[in-house]
Amino acid sequence: MTNHWPSDRVGKVQEVCQWKFDDEAFWNGTCGLNWTFDTGTPKQNGMNFCPRCGKRLKRKWGSR
């Protein structure tokens, strides 16, 4: 049986979807999603989870 309480996740490694900004104004996720915003970063737009895979977003540093 799997519980979904926050205390069940303490100490466990959470999977993330890494997003990196490309030269064509898209954020590319490791799950294959390409996403764009009118302005700002995912964090500045209030996104915490990937809309495709549901994993927590992590910004992969590079450009932007």
Side-chain angles (χ1 to χ4, degrees):
M1 182 169 109
T2 302
N3 292 322
H4 298 287
W5 296 96
S7 60
D8 294 332
R9 295 187 294 271
V10 172
K12 293 183 181 176
V13 176
Q14 292 185 1
E15 293 184 39
V16 296
C17 184
Q18 290 189 341
W19 281 26
K20 184 175 182 182
F21 192 75
D22 68 16
D23 295 330
E24 297 178 17
F26 283 96
W27 288 91
N28 302 305
T30 51
C31 69
L33 179 73
N34 296 318
W35 195 272
T36 190
F37 299 100
D38 290 335
T39 61
T41 65
K43 184 176 182 177
Q44 291 169 332
N45 283 283
M47 289 187 77
N48 296 310
F49 298 92
C50 178
R52 181 174 187 192
C53 67
K55 295 177 184 174
R56 182 166 292 282
L57 290 183
K58 182 175 182 180
R59 181 173 161 184
K60 190 173 185 179
W61 294 98
S63 58
R64 204 180 219 197

